[in-house]
Amino acid sequence: MHIHKYEKWWLTLGATSLVVFLIIVGISAFHYGSHPPSAKVYIDPERVDEIAPFNNPGVHKVEGKDWDYEVVFVASAFYYNPPEIEVPFGSTVKFIATTKDVVHGFQVAGTNINMMLEPGYVSEYVTTVDKAGEFLILCNEYCGVGHSTMTSMLKVVE
């Protein structure tokens, strides 16, 4: 079988590009620590309602931390608990969330808040709410037949 010289060049270029790409990804993932922050905190997904802070979901004012409020969410079959939260404009908020059943998403539309919720793992996100208004919280990971109804509301008030 005869391969034309230009074909050999393109095959070599393609293979070399793939190898270079994999080396760059490997260096960034392992050397620079660019990997997802998973498995920091593990809890029993069958006992979420018994474990603090998930036994009291909602908005909690905190003192002596780098953030002003902690917002605790529990996701389960097509439902976020609490269904609606309210935080003051300009406050620094730490979102703490987990799920009881399957993988869910946690996205606050119109903001940079976006987390993946996995059973047994605690997801956290700290941000300053700098836009007033109502923001839809939605599940952006397909979780079953009721996925499209899985919403909550974040109200940022003056």
Side-chain angles (χ1 to χ4, degrees), residues 43-56 73-75 98-101 119-120:
I43 60 173
D44 183 0
E46 295 179 3
R47 297 182 48 236
V48 168
D49 293 329
E50 303 168 14
I51 301 169
F54 303 107
N55 58 351
N56 187 19
F73 272 97
V74 177
T98 192
T99 176
K100 299 183 204 180
D101 47 15

mmCIF file of all heavy atoms in Angstrom, residues 43-56 73-75 98-101 119-120:
data_model
loop_
_atom_site.group_PDB
_atom_site.id
_atom_site.type_symbol
_atom_site.label_atom_id
_atom_site.label_comp_id
_atom_site.label_asym_id
_atom_site.label_seq_id
_atom_site.Cartn_x
_atom_site.Cartn_y
_atom_site.Cartn_z
ATOM 1 N N ILE A 43 -20.412 13.063 53.113
ATOM 2 C CA ILE A 43 -21.448 12.764 54.097
ATOM 3 C C ILE A 43 -22.266 11.585 53.583
ATOM 4 O O ILE A 43 -22.258 11.290 52.391
ATOM 5 C CB ILE A 43 -22.360 13.975 54.376
ATOM 6 C CG1 ILE A 43 -23.077 14.426 53.096
ATOM 7 C CG2 ILE A 43 -21.579 15.118 54.980
ATOM 8 C CD1 ILE A 43 -24.114 15.495 53.324
ATOM 9 N N ASP A 44 -22.973 10.939 54.475
ATOM 10 C CA ASP A 44 -23.816 9.808 54.101
ATOM 11 C C ASP A 44 -25.073 10.344 53.411
ATOM 12 O O ASP A 44 -25.880 11.031 54.043
ATOM 13 C CB ASP A 44 -24.196 9.014 55.347
ATOM 14 C CG ASP A 44 -25.030 7.774 55.040
ATOM 15 O OD1 ASP A 44 -25.322 7.535 53.845
ATOM 16 O OD2 ASP A 44 -25.383 7.058 55.986
ATOM 17 N N PRO A 45 -25.268 10.052 52.117
ATOM 18 C CA PRO A 45 -26.429 10.612 51.410
ATOM 19 C C PRO A 45 -27.771 10.126 51.939
ATOM 20 O O PRO A 45 -28.797 10.755 51.695
ATOM 21 C CB PRO A 45 -26.212 10.183 49.960
ATOM 22 C CG PRO A 45 -25.248 9.070 50.000
ATOM 23 C CD PRO A 45 -24.441 9.228 51.248
ATOM 24 N N GLU A 46 -27.786 9.030 52.667
ATOM 25 C CA GLU A 46 -29.042 8.522 53.223
ATOM 26 C C GLU A 46 -29.412 9.219 54.534
ATOM 27 O O GLU A 46 -30.531 9.073 55.010
ATOM 28 C CB GLU A 46 -28.949 7.016 53.432
ATOM 29 C CG GLU A 46 -28.809 6.260 52.115
ATOM 30 C CD GLU A 46 -28.681 4.757 52.300
ATOM 31 O OE1 GLU A 46 -28.751 4.286 53.460
ATOM 32 O OE2 GLU A 46 -28.513 4.071 51.295
ATOM 33 N N ARG A 47 -28.453 9.969 55.104
ATOM 34 C CA ARG A 47 -28.705 10.642 56.391
ATOM 35 C C ARG A 47 -28.539 12.157 56.285
ATOM 36 O O ARG A 47 -28.258 12.822 57.277
ATOM 37 C CB ARG A 47 -27.748 10.086 57.436
ATOM 38 C CG ARG A 47 -27.939 8.605 57.702
ATOM 39 C CD ARG A 47 -26.998 8.067 58.781
ATOM 40 N NE ARG A 47 -26.997 8.906 59.962
ATOM 41 C CZ ARG A 47 -25.895 9.456 60.484
ATOM 42 N NH1 ARG A 47 -24.725 9.257 59.933
ATOM 43 N NH2 ARG A 47 -25.964 10.196 61.576
ATOM 44 N N VAL A 48 -28.703 12.720 55.102
ATOM 45 C CA VAL A 48 -28.477 14.149 54.880
ATOM 46 C C VAL A 48 -29.312 14.997 55.828
ATOM 47 O O VAL A 48 -28.823 15.983 56.392
ATOM 48 C CB VAL A 48 -28.771 14.526 53.410
ATOM 49 C CG1 VAL A 48 -28.826 16.023 53.222
ATOM 50 C CG2 VAL A 48 -27.732 13.914 52.492
ATOM 51 N N ASP A 49 -30.570 14.638 56.035
ATOM 52 C CA ASP A 49 -31.463 15.437 56.884
ATOM 53 C C ASP A 49 -31.066 15.427 58.361
ATOM 54 O O ASP A 49 -31.573 16.230 59.130
ATOM 55 C CB ASP A 49 -32.901 14.941 56.747
ATOM 56 C CG ASP A 49 -33.455 15.191 55.351
ATOM 57 O OD1 ASP A 49 -33.040 16.185 54.726
ATOM 58 O OD2 ASP A 49 -34.287 14.395 54.889
ATOM 59 N N GLU A 50 -30.171 14.540 58.754
ATOM 60 C CA GLU A 50 -29.748 14.454 60.147
ATOM 61 C C GLU A 50 -28.416 15.149 60.394
ATOM 62 O O GLU A 50 -27.996 15.300 61.536
ATOM 63 C CB GLU A 50 -29.611 12.977 60.548
ATOM 64 C CG GLU A 50 -30.864 12.162 60.352
ATOM 65 C CD GLU A 50 -30.601 10.662 60.476
ATOM 66 O OE1 GLU A 50 -29.514 10.287 60.969
ATOM 67 O OE2 GLU A 50 -31.469 9.884 60.076
ATOM 68 N N ILE A 51 -27.709 15.547 59.341
ATOM 69 C CA ILE A 51 -26.354 16.069 59.450
ATOM 70 C C ILE A 51 -26.360 17.585 59.277
ATOM 71 O O ILE A 51 -26.933 18.115 58.333
ATOM 72 C CB ILE A 51 -25.450 15.416 58.380
ATOM 73 C CG1 ILE A 51 -25.421 13.894 58.563
ATOM 74 C CG2 ILE A 51 -24.047 15.992 58.418
ATOM 75 C CD1 ILE A 51 -24.780 13.141 57.430
ATOM 76 N N ALA A 52 -25.711 18.287 60.217
ATOM 77 C CA ALA A 52 -25.589 19.744 60.120
ATOM 78 C C ALA A 52 -24.647 20.091 58.968
ATOM 79 O O ALA A 52 -23.698 19.361 58.717
ATOM 80 C CB ALA A 52 -25.049 20.307 61.422
ATOM 81 N N PRO A 53 -24.888 21.129 58.240
ATOM 82 C CA PRO A 53 -25.934 22.136 58.339
ATOM 83 C C PRO A 53 -27.189 21.784 57.543
ATOM 84 O O PRO A 53 -28.120 22.575 57.470
ATOM 85 C CB PRO A 53 -25.266 23.367 57.725
ATOM 86 C CG PRO A 53 -24.412 22.809 56.643
ATOM 87 C CD PRO A 53 -23.907 21.499 57.204
ATOM 88 N N PHE A 54 -27.216 20.583 56.944
ATOM 89 C CA PHE A 54 -28.328 20.210 56.049
ATOM 90 C C PHE A 54 -29.610 19.867 56.794
ATOM 91 O O PHE A 54 -30.659 19.747 56.184
ATOM 92 C CB PHE A 54 -27.896 19.076 55.121
ATOM 93 C CG PHE A 54 -26.692 19.441 54.321
ATOM 94 C CD1 PHE A 54 -25.456 18.898 54.604
ATOM 95 C CD2 PHE A 54 -26.780 20.383 53.304
ATOM 96 C CE1 PHE A 54 -24.336 19.263 53.882
ATOM 97 C CE2 PHE A 54 -25.662 20.759 52.579
ATOM 98 C CZ PHE A 54 -24.441 20.198 52.869
ATOM 99 N N ASN A 55 -29.532 19.734 58.118
ATOM 100 C CA ASN A 55 -30.740 19.501 58.901
ATOM 101 C C ASN A 55 -31.523 20.804 59.111
ATOM 102 O O ASN A 55 -32.626 20.793 59.637
ATOM 103 C CB ASN A 55 -30.398 18.855 60.242
ATOM 104 C CG ASN A 55 -29.439 19.689 61.066
ATOM 105 O OD1 ASN A 55 -28.877 20.676 60.590
ATOM 106 N ND2 ASN A 55 -29.226 19.283 62.296
ATOM 107 N N ASN A 56 -30.945 21.932 58.685
ATOM 108 C CA ASN A 56 -31.611 23.232 58.802
ATOM 109 C C ASN A 56 -31.319 24.072 57.551
ATOM 110 O O ASN A 56 -30.584 25.048 57.612
ATOM 111 C CB ASN A 56 -31.130 23.955 60.067
ATOM 112 C CG ASN A 56 -31.896 25.214 60.324
ATOM 113 O OD1 ASN A 56 -32.992 25.406 59.808
ATOM 114 N ND2 ASN A 56 -31.317 26.094 61.116
ATOM 115 N N PHE A 73 -28.574 24.450 50.904
ATOM 116 C CA PHE A 73 -29.562 23.831 50.021
ATOM 117 C C PHE A 73 -29.418 22.319 50.069
ATOM 118 O O PHE A 73 -28.295 21.793 50.123
ATOM 119 C CB PHE A 73 -29.356 24.269 48.568
ATOM 120 C CG PHE A 73 -30.078 25.520 48.195
ATOM 121 C CD1 PHE A 73 -29.429 26.733 48.222
ATOM 122 C CD2 PHE A 73 -31.411 25.476 47.807
ATOM 123 C CE1 PHE A 73 -30.090 27.890 47.867
ATOM 124 C CE2 PHE A 73 -32.080 26.632 47.455
ATOM 125 C CZ PHE A 73 -31.419 27.841 47.490
ATOM 126 N N VAL A 74 -30.549 21.629 50.006
ATOM 127 C CA VAL A 74 -30.577 20.180 49.829
ATOM 128 C C VAL A 74 -31.407 19.896 48.578
ATOM 129 O O VAL A 74 -32.564 20.327 48.487
ATOM 130 C CB VAL A 74 -31.190 19.459 51.048
ATOM 131 C CG1 VAL A 74 -31.266 17.965 50.800
ATOM 132 C CG2 VAL A 74 -30.392 19.758 52.306
ATOM 133 N N ALA A 75 -30.798 19.203 47.634
ATOM 134 C CA ALA A 75 -31.507 18.827 46.415
ATOM 135 C C ALA A 75 -31.958 17.378 46.527
ATOM 136 O O ALA A 75 -31.240 16.534 47.051
ATOM 137 C CB ALA A 75 -30.597 19.000 45.204
ATOM 138 N N THR A 98 -25.876 19.957 48.804
ATOM 139 C CA THR A 98 -25.659 18.533 48.537
ATOM 140 C C THR A 98 -26.963 17.949 48.008
ATOM 141 O O THR A 98 -27.971 18.635 47.922
ATOM 142 C CB THR A 98 -25.186 17.776 49.788
ATOM 143 O OG1 THR A 98 -24.730 16.472 49.407
ATOM 144 C CG2 THR A 98 -26.294 17.640 50.825
ATOM 145 N N THR A 99 -26.921 16.683 47.662
ATOM 146 C CA THR A 99 -28.102 16.000 47.157
ATOM 147 C C THR A 99 -28.255 14.653 47.855
ATOM 148 O O THR A 99 -27.273 14.064 48.299
ATOM 149 C CB THR A 99 -28.031 15.813 45.633
ATOM 150 O OG1 THR A 99 -29.168 15.068 45.197
ATOM 151 C CG2 THR A 99 -26.782 15.083 45.217
ATOM 152 N N LYS A 100 -29.481 14.197 47.917
ATOM 153 C CA LYS A 100 -29.776 12.917 48.572
ATOM 154 C C LYS A 100 -29.805 11.745 47.604
ATOM 155 O O LYS A 100 -29.649 10.610 48.024
ATOM 156 C CB LYS A 100 -31.147 12.977 49.251
ATOM 157 C CG LYS A 100 -31.301 13.990 50.305
ATOM 158 C CD LYS A 100 -32.701 13.827 50.891
ATOM 159 C CE LYS A 100 -33.203 15.070 51.520
ATOM 160 N NZ LYS A 100 -34.537 14.888 52.082
ATOM 161 N N ASP A 101 -30.088 11.999 46.322
ATOM 162 C CA ASP A 101 -30.398 10.871 45.448
ATOM 163 C C ASP A 101 -29.471 10.729 44.241
ATOM 164 O O ASP A 101 -28.676 9.820 44.183
ATOM 165 C CB ASP A 101 -31.860 10.941 44.999
ATOM 166 C CG ASP A 101 -32.265 12.320 44.514
ATOM 167 O OD1 ASP A 101 -31.388 13.159 44.256
ATOM 168 O OD2 ASP A 101 -33.471 12.569 44.379
ATOM 169 N N PRO A 119 -24.350 12.953 45.125
ATOM 170 C CA PRO A 119 -24.755 12.324 46.389
ATOM 171 C C PRO A 119 -23.543 12.019 47.265
ATOM 172 O O PRO A 119 -22.567 11.429 46.814
ATOM 173 C CB PRO A 119 -25.436 11.026 45.949
ATOM 174 C CG PRO A 119 -25.820 11.253 44.528
ATOM 175 C CD PRO A 119 -24.801 12.192 43.970
ATOM 176 N N GLY A 120 -23.610 12.473 48.506
ATOM 177 C CA GLY A 120 -22.537 12.197 49.451
ATOM 178 C C GLY A 120 -21.456 13.255 49.506
ATOM 179 O O GLY A 120 -20.631 13.233 50.407
#
